[in-house]
Amino acid sequence: SQTIHQWPATLVQPVGSPLSLECTVEGTSNPNLYWYRQAAGRGLQLLFYSVGIGQISSEVPQNLSASRPQDRQFILSSKKLLLSDSGFYLCAWSRVTGNTIYFGEGSWLTVV
Amino acid sequence: AQSVTQLGSHVSVSEGALVLLRCNYSSSVPPYLFWYVQYPNQGLQLLLKYTTGATLVKGINGFEAEFKKSETSFHLTKPSAHMSDAAEYFCAVSEGNFNKFYFGSGTKLNVKP
């Protein structure tokens, strides 16, 4: 069976510090990978998606970047965090020919 | 371009009452539609999905939804609410290539005893 893991689960970072959230998928190959952000009262916002190693598409301009160094690894980064980067970040995956998206448990980021 | 609108950010029902959560979508191609549930501080779990075929879709925990193309709707219902149904519910849409999934802003369901 397939599993998705993301870490850390919670993170408190000062403004201006860097960020790295990591996500890995097990039990499948060549998945589509996604990063979403969930801000309070604003639903889920698609930040990045990837259909293969090194292939990243950004949905919105922002202070964040994503990378996919390996087939089943997806990393969300920032060089300098802003207060507005606070939120709940969700990694997700889907099969290339599948029709369902599966989510990790999420990472709470608080920028102080 | 696709979008999802969930009418009502908060819905409150009594235990045993009908649950109705509304979702309308816009899509330039035949859509694939989903409902997910999120419990506090957790990721999202799939409740049900519509891809093709029968327009009335049954999911887990007694939930169902009906795809109505003429109304561009995919409302979620459950005949009798349980306290354990209290959570946030998200409607989502994707196009045929499945590369992108777009979510509504969510509806928080409160179930009163």
Side-chain angles (χ1 to χ4, degrees):
Chain A
S1 64
Q2 299 80 29
T3 57
I4 178 169
H5 304 283
Q6 64 176 104
W7 66 93
T10 59
L11 197 59
V12 180
Q13 292 285 94
V15 170
S17 65
L19 170 73
S20 180
L21 298 179
E22 190 165 340
C23 172
T24 60
V25 179
E26 300 294 333
T28 189
S29 59
N30 195 30
N32 292 332
L33 296 172
Y34 310 81
W35 278 110
Y36 286 86
R37 176 170 58 201
Q38 186 177 15
R42 295 179 61 184
L44 273 70
Q45 181 185 33
L46 177 61
L47 301 176
F48 301 96
Y49 74 96
S50 171
V51 299
I53 295 175
Q55 301 179 61
I56 309 294
S57 295
S58 174
E59 284 293 292
V60 294
Q62 58 206 320
N63 186 43
L64 302 169
S65 62
S67 61
R68 184 170 178 173
Q70 300 181 41
D71 180 45
R72 293 170 295 168
Q73 183 184 28
F74 205 25
I75 298 171
L76 183 68
S77 304
S78 174
K79 293 182 178 179
K80 291 185 177 181
L81 284 168
L82 306 172
L83 287 174
S84 58
D85 292 324
S86 294
F88 191 50
Y89 289 82
L90 290 157
C91 182
W93 75 276
S94 69
R95 292 185 178 85
V96 172
T97 56
N99 55 24
T100 305
I101 187 170
Y102 302 94
F103 287 85
E105 289 301 307
S107 298
W108 273 109
L109 170 65
T110 303
V111 183
V112 296
Chain B
Q2 301 173 66
S3 67
V4 179
T5 302
Q6 292 184 239
L7 190 61
S9 59
H10 291 80
V11 170
S12 186
V13 301
S14 298
E15 192 173 19
L18 171 71
V19 176
L20 171 61
L21 304 182
R22 300 179 186 274
C23 173
N24 289 89
Y25 68 91
S26 65
S27 176
S28 57
V29 299
Y32 295 85
L33 298 161
F34 310 82
W35 275 100
Y36 285 81
V37 60
Q38 184 182 33
Y39 297 101
N41 299 316
Q42 296 185 21
L44 278 70
Q45 303 172 29
L46 179 68
L47 268 181
L48 49 80
K49 64 182 178 183
Y50 168 80
T51 53
T52 58
T55 56
L56 181 62
V57 180
K58 296 184 184 298
I60 61 172
N61 301 336
F63 285 93
E64 62 182 36
E66 186 172 10
F67 169 54
K68 292 188 177 181
K69 184 178 179 180
S70 62
E71 299 177 7
T72 61
S73 69
F74 191 57
H75 301 331
L76 181 71
T77 61
K78 182 174 180 178
S80 177
H82 294 180
M83 296 298 294
S84 60
D85 294 327
E88 190 161 17
Y89 293 80
F90 291 91
C91 183
V93 62
S94 76
E95 292 181 339
N97 62 10
F98 306 126
N99 281 346
K100 298 183 186 181
F101 294 77
Y102 292 96
F103 287 79
S105 57
T107 299
K108 288 187 177 179
L109 176 64
N110 178 47
V111 182
K112 299 175 291 186

